[in-house]
Amino acid sequence: MYKRQPSTPLKASSSALCNNLDVLNASSSHSGGSLTYAVVHKSVSHLINSSPGLPHVYRQVTCKESGTTQTSSSSAIMQSAWCGLSSRTVLVIASMKGIQMFEPDGSIMLFWHALKRTDEKTAQFARGICSVKNENLVCVGTSSGSILVFSVNDDAKESNIQLKETLTGHDVAITDLYSESGTLVSADELGNITIWKSDITINKVSMIKGFNYPCSSIHIWNNFVIGGYGSGHIRFYQVSTGDLEVEITAHARWINSIDVASEAGLLLSASEDTYVRVWSLVVVDNKLKVEMKFSESVTDVQLQGCRFTSQQGQTFALTGYDFNEIYLFSR
């Protein structure tokens, strides 16, 4: 179904972080048919622009406190991702010190929000990034279980970004966020999933209790919440009721990332067991049918991130811990 393609080299290896890969497609970046990848290594987010027939273009975005230049002030990054809004895109970096937003190419920092330290003995960090496009909001999870919601001015000529509200619906650290069509879902380190609805304000609708294994990656497809877990399971829940629809023992070890090509009805999963798998998603007589279509081991590589490069699911990319390349597979 998929065949291995030549890899894209990185300037540094990938850190051992869940969801350690994001892809900015040309359709949202207006970059003339190119793709840009974001991969985290320690305190640096590496951006790699890949255009057909042209050399790769690299940029390093370092997480530093606002107004500082010393490398010693840099902070370990937990996640780096692009957030597409109504008419602009911002690069969001979540670290152990706070949250930064940049222009999509990482050239200009637009906003810095420092996390407030409440306990000197407990590590603090931001993790989990998504946008609520119809409201021009960027949501970022924190280690305290709260979700910070930022309003972003939709005029690309101005950088008016401010903290709008803080959502409280988890007691432990957020692991991942995802939003689609006015529905926001958040997951935490105990595997709990909270469903929110966005309509002027964001309100909690329900909570799906976890199984004490972290839900490390989360997605929404066709009114189903999809969660990838540290236990190796993938679970599908009804958005409207929170009821469990399908459970799959998908991997032998921790699932670090999942993604969906919505137009093709394909689910991508990557795990520490070295395997990447592609699953077909079909609804028949109001019942969800899930079937594995592709499985391959990337030998001796603990996979950390996976992304389809388009909603048609023709190509997907992978990153692996301590390896300095992006693995590509195409149909």
Side-chain angles (χ1 to χ4, degrees), residues 244-256:
L244 179 64
E245 182 79 8
V246 174
E247 181 182 67
I248 306 169
T249 307
H251 289 273
R253 297 185 67 183
W254 199 292
I255 295 175
N256 280 320

Side-chain angles (χ1 to χ4, degrees), residues 260-276:
V260 172
S262 56
E263 294 181 13
L266 295 174
L267 169 67
L268 179 67
S269 61
S271 167
E272 289 184 359
D273 65 3
T274 77
Y275 277 88
V276 56

Side-chain angles (χ1 to χ4, degrees), residues 203-257:
N203 299 300
K204 181 178 177 180
V205 176
S206 61
M207 172 175 274
I208 301 168
K209 294 294 291 181
F211 297 85
N212 292 325
Y213 278 94
C215 178
S216 51
S217 193
I218 197 166
H219 217 283
I220 297 175
W221 178 80
N222 199 17
N223 294 317
F224 292 101
V225 179
I226 309 172
Y229 290 80
S231 59
H233 291 83
I234 298 176
R235 297 186 177 96
F236 300 77
Y237 298 92
Q238 290 275 1
V239 169
S240 56
T241 63
D243 293 338
L244 179 64
E245 182 79 8
V246 174
E247 181 182 67
I248 306 169
T249 307
H251 289 273
R253 297 185 67 183
W254 199 292
I255 295 175
N256 280 320
S257 186

